[in-house]
């Protein structure tokens, strides 16, 4: 797990040189959006393959989180000096 965390920090640092980088939590987003599960929830918005992996489903949930961010319909939690996560305010923003 430590190696994965270090890899994520390195990737984030590099991306931040050219892009705005958001951090989020797919399970929290899924709960806020009242998804029964990632697969069925994502299928409300996208045509998801039945063979999608857990990681691909998490990535799809994070795409939705990004849409909420772009629509200015999000909460940012945490300490900006230490790091924050972005989560949707509620499911109504995509109506």
């Amino acid at each position: 797990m430590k190696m994965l965390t270090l890899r994520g920090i390195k990737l984030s640092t590099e991306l931040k040189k050219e892009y705005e980088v958001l951090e989020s939590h797919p399970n929290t987003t899924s709960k806020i959006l009242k998804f029964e599960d990632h697969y069925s929830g994502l299928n409300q918005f996208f045509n998801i393959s039945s063979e999608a992996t857990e990681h691909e489903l998490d990535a799809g949930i994070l795409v939705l989180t990004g849409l909420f961010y772009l629509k200015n319909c999000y909460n940012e939690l945490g300490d900006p000096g230490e790091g924050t996560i972005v989560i949707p305010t509620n499911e109504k923003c995509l109506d």
Side-chain angles (χ1 to χ4, degrees), residues 14-29:
E14 287 298 311
L15 288 171
K16 285 178 182 177
K17 292 177 182 176
E18 294 188 46
Y19 305 99
E20 182 176 9
V21 175
L22 305 176
E23 293 190 41
S24 191
H25 188 260
N27 288 334
T28 302
T29 293

Side-chain angles (χ1 to χ4, degrees), residues 7-56:
R7 181 175 165 219
I9 291 169
K10 181 180 178 184
L11 180 60
S12 176
T13 301
E14 287 298 311
L15 288 171
K16 285 178 182 177
K17 292 177 182 176
E18 294 188 46
Y19 305 99
E20 182 176 9
V21 175
L22 305 176
E23 293 190 41
S24 191
H25 188 260
N27 288 334
T28 302
T29 293
S30 192
K31 287 178 184 179
I32 291 168
L33 299 180
K34 299 179 178 153
F35 289 172
E36 188 174 314
D37 59 76
H38 286 10
Y39 180 79
S40 63
L42 283 171
N43 261 324
Q44 296 174 44
F45 303 96
F46 308 108
N47 184 18
I48 303 297
S49 167
S50 61
E51 297 177 16
T53 68
E54 177 183 352
H55 301 291
E56 291 167 332

